[in-house]
Amino acid sequence: MTTPMLVASRNAAVGFDEGMRLLREGASALDAASAVVRIVEDNPEDHTVGYGGLPNLLGDVELDAMVMDGRTLKAGAVAALKGFRNPVLVARKVMEELPHVLLAGEGAARFAREMGFEEAELLTDEARRIWQERLTASDVPEDVARYYNHMRRFARDLARDPEQAAKDAGSGVMGTVVVLARDAQGNIAVATSTSGWAWKYPGRVGDTPIPGAGGYADNRYGAAACTGRGEMAMRAATARSVVLYMKMGLPLWNAAREATIDLYALDDEFANVLTLYAMDAHGGHVGFSNQPGRTYVFQTAEMDAPEERPCTFVDADGKAHIRSQDM
Ligand code: ASP
């Protein structure tokens, strides 16, 4: 018997009670991780995930999600799914019912309907208000050239002053929920879900539904998942990299640092925040980021509540810092 645990992005804490209850009752890591993510998807106050998520450039909420089971290395995912509030559950069905890993757009919606998921309006009044305010502030670009400039400006502001840039961008412009779970049998799973970057180009898909980029789980070594600029995690295969570095013999902390260092090799004028969350097969856990001030949450079955921990910040020289004053 191993001690069940959850490791996650901070916004997942609202689902930890339920996730822990399930794990304590003997549920699988996959069930627990999906249950936590589902609660975040249903939370209208979280503007980065599921119902209440901020929309794309045109005002449509497009959702990405994935599950991966570290016992079988099976994965299921949906991308750019519109009109269903729990993409993580649809992703799970893709894994279970189809010989495929990823369904996108119309096909994903058709499949969700076939599986009996109920259609729902995802754009809440609050999310519509935020979107419209940004439109009238006229910095939401409606064509490709302006979109490109807008993203570049944001990346530059962020490089100059990360805290101010995040404030200027408004709440919930970026964000994803990622949950890594380990159950009493020692099985490990990952579940992820996001509405992607607010005002994203229609059809844009990030790392969240891509196994190996936004999440990866392998019982033999551990699991990892990412939040932040998904394009970076896709190009560097960040979640898989962490697990592969462990397979090649690095301890968890060094594996996560190495995967963060890899991000600096990306030639990327839109370079931005990328945070990774990882656990090894023995219950070790870390958060790492290429930006200071990030945190993650974890809880074992022996704890009463989740605890928040600082992520280790790795700078462009590969130096690792924990800036506890940023907590
Ligand atoms: N990783 C997500 C994406 O690129 C968004 C985020 O976590 O901020 O879609």
Side-chain angles (χ1 to χ4, degrees), residues 19 23 52 78 132 141 151 176 191 208 232 245 261 280 295 308 318 327:
L23 286 173
V78 289
Q132 279 169 348
M151 292 299 281
T176 298
T208 307
M232 297 172 79
Y245 283 131
I261 289 173
D280 63 21
T295 62
E308 191 170 352
M327 286 272 303

Side-chain angles (χ1 to χ4, degrees), residues 174-176 194 196-197 204 206-208 227-230:
M174 296 150 64
T176 298
T194 189
W197 280 52
R204 178 266 183 188
D207 59 325
T208 307
T227 62
R229 175 164 158 74

Side-chain angles (χ1 to χ4, degrees), residues 172-183:
V173 164
M174 296 150 64
T176 298
V177 59
V178 300
V179 178
L180 320 178
R182 187 173 73 145
D183 63 30

